[in-house]
Amino acid sequence: MQGISVCDSVASLHGANPRQACVARNDLRLFSKVNSVNRGAYTWRWCAEKLQKRANGRNMNTTVRTNARWLFGGDGRNSDSNKNAAARLERSESANEDILIFYFQLDLQTRIQYALNIELFDAAKQLREKLAEIETEITRQREAKRGSSKNEAQDKSLDLLRARADLQKAIESENYALAAELRDAVTKLEGDSLALSAKALAYQGVKYEFRLGQKVRHKVHGYRAVICGMDPVCCESKSWMETANVEKLSKGPNQPFYQVLVDVYADPELLVAYVAEENLSEAEESEKGRFEHPYTEFLFFGEDTARDFIPVKQLREKYDQPRYEASGDEDDDDGSTKS
């Protein structure tokens, strides 16, 4: 991913006069391949503005503007609470960016369908190609972030086979010095291969205590939140883990971690946190009341009878999670998204 200055035009599919949306922020990053799209370029500013308009309908103008400032590098000067400051150690800009990229994908899919509906087939083709490029890059980055343990295990197994073949050749040629070195290398590769295979199995067989859309409470900081993403282990950077004191957790980084949306009334500056499973608990019935966050508009389809959120189909597919049906929701349909 290449850092760029966001100063692009946002235009309609019809090629109307573009609306400039410039954001001079060093910490904003977009895929370099997204920097220009024929018949309409997209920016994070445009995304935030669209979300603000939706939230404004709920009389959340002031709060959402505060949140949007954080999205683009806000300094959080509106609150100096010690409690909130401790909670913000788990704030994750990479998780926030991941969610906005997901929104970006949903919007591209919607624009492709709209272009097809009005028979702008060339525009639809260009947008579809751009979407394919973005999704390929997202997959590559996700695998790099999570370690791609399955591929690593396969690569290590191939290295082991080559080393064993070289060892056999060295023995047959009576090059015993080389054979001794290769024997040590084979022993090390066998250990590494076994560890990576176990890690790959752990990734595939991980069981999450919480599900997408479930309302939870932070055991330490007390705020209410909603699950919107999950990883089998902590996938943040080493610097983030040091700041968030991950090593002090009883299970450390080797446990499921969740992307959570934090109720803006609890802390309007926190917005998105990355929290270890051991620090979350299911929200009590009395805690499942009003929940406000600008991202619920496109991540969820509404609430089920248990007052948890229903994730949109694309979000479930992203994390390979099954559809959960609360009692009384069997006839509900979540086939469309709000974007």
Side-chain angles (χ1 to χ4, degrees):
M1 182 181 291
Q2 175 183 347
I4 63 172
S5 173
V6 181
C7 188
D8 292 328
S9 300
V10 180
S12 71
L13 283 169
H14 299 288
N17 291 331
R19 171 170 55 86
Q20 288 297 318
C22 298
V23 186
R25 298 288 185 186
N26 293 329
D27 60 338
L28 268 180
R29 297 186 304 279
L30 286 174
F31 293 110
S32 56
K33 295 178 180 179
V34 185
N35 199 20
S36 60
V37 179
N38 288 338
R39 297 178 180 269
Y42 303 74
T43 67
W44 292 132
R45 170 66 73 183
W46 173 79
C47 174
E49 286 176 351
K50 192 168 183 178
L51 291 175
Q52 285 185 64
K53 288 178 181 178
R54 288 181 174 176
N56 284 347
R58 299 182 179 182
N59 296 321
M60 289 288 292
N61 306 54
T62 303
T63 303
V64 175
R65 289 195 186 101
T66 300
N67 293 341
R69 280 200 298 273
W70 178 80
L71 288 180
F72 300 103
D75 56 11
R77 289 176 294 182
N78 293 331
S79 174
D80 57 359
S81 165
N82 290 333
K83 182 179 179 181
N84 287 349
R88 288 172 195 162
L89 295 178
E90 296 178 335
R91 181 170 66 185
S92 174
E93 295 194 30
S94 63
N96 183 69
E97 183 179 80
D98 184 62
I99 295 169
L100 289 179
I101 290 172
F102 178 73
Y103 176 84
F104 184 73
Q105 289 177 279
L106 291 182
D107 186 75
L108 267 179
Q109 292 167 357
T110 301
R111 286 173 177 262
I112 290 170
Q113 188 58 53
Y114 175 69
L116 292 173
N117 290 344
I118 61 176
E119 299 184 353
L120 289 176
F121 301 116
D122 289 340
K125 180 181 178 182
Q126 293 169 3
L127 289 169
R128 190 180 290 112
E129 291 172 351
K130 188 59 59 179
L131 179 61
E133 293 176 6
I134 294 168
E135 290 176 341
T136 299
E137 180 67 10
I138 289 172
T139 300
R140 185 193 67 78
Q141 292 192 359
R142 184 178 299 130
E143 289 180 349
K145 183 180 76 169
R146 297 184 180 181
S148 188
S149 53
K150 183 177 180 180
N151 291 337
E152 284 183 349
Q154 292 172 343
D155 292 342
K156 194 65 68 175
S157 295
L158 290 175
D159 291 341
L160 179 58
L161 290 174
R162 294 190 191 100
R164 284 173 175 167
D166 292 341
L167 174 60
Q168 185 61 35
K169 290 179 181 178
I171 293 173
E172 291 174 353
S173 63
E174 299 184 357
N175 189 345
Y176 299 117
L178 177 60
E181 293 179 4
L182 288 171
R183 190 177 293 110
D184 292 339
V186 166
T187 300
K188 185 178 185 303
L189 284 170
E190 286 175 339
D192 292 344
S193 179
L194 182 62
L196 285 170
S197 296
K199 182 180 178 182
L201 288 174
Y203 270 51
Q204 294 174 359
V206 65
K207 293 184 178 179
Y208 295 101
E209 185 175 343
F210 305 102
R211 64 183 182 276
L212 293 172
Q214 187 173 4
K215 293 180 181 178
V216 294
R217 177 172 289 279
H218 198 292
K219 291 180 180 179
V220 178
H221 305 305
Y223 60 72
R224 294 188 307 138
V226 173
I227 304 293
C228 67
M230 51 191 59
D231 294 313
V233 295
C234 183
C235 295
E236 270 284 2
S237 64
K238 290 183 178 180
S239 61
W240 184 92
M241 285 192 275
E242 290 175 359
T243 300
N245 299 314
V246 171
E247 291 299 332
K248 293 183 179 180
L249 297 170
S250 63
K251 298 180 182 178
N254 296 317
Q255 62 176 306
F257 272 69
Y258 298 85
Q259 294 179 4
V260 300
L261 307 181
V262 181
D263 188 350
V264 295
Y265 286 108
D267 186 348
E269 295 291 338
L270 182 49
L271 199 68
V272 179
Y274 195 56
V275 187
E277 187 171 85
E278 68 178 73
N279 278 342
L280 294 174
S281 62
E282 183 178 357
E284 299 291 338
E285 186 64 31
S286 60
E287 298 172 331
K288 291 189 175 183
R290 178 180 180 182
F291 186 93
E292 292 289 353
H293 195 287
Y295 294 176
T296 59
E297 292 286 338
F298 63 90
L299 291 174
F300 305 112
F301 189 66
E303 291 187 345
D304 58 25
T305 55
R307 305 187 75 183
D308 288 315
F309 284 102
I310 304 170
V312 297
K313 180 180 178 182
Q314 292 91 330
L315 187 62
R316 288 191 287 106
E317 291 175 344
K318 176 181 178 180
Y319 291 101
D320 193 24
Q321 294 297 301
R323 175 175 174 174
Y324 174 82
E325 293 182 345
S327 177
D329 289 335
E330 289 79 4
D331 296 329
D332 288 348
D333 181 18
D334 68 343
S336 61
T337 65
K338 297 180 179 181
S339 63

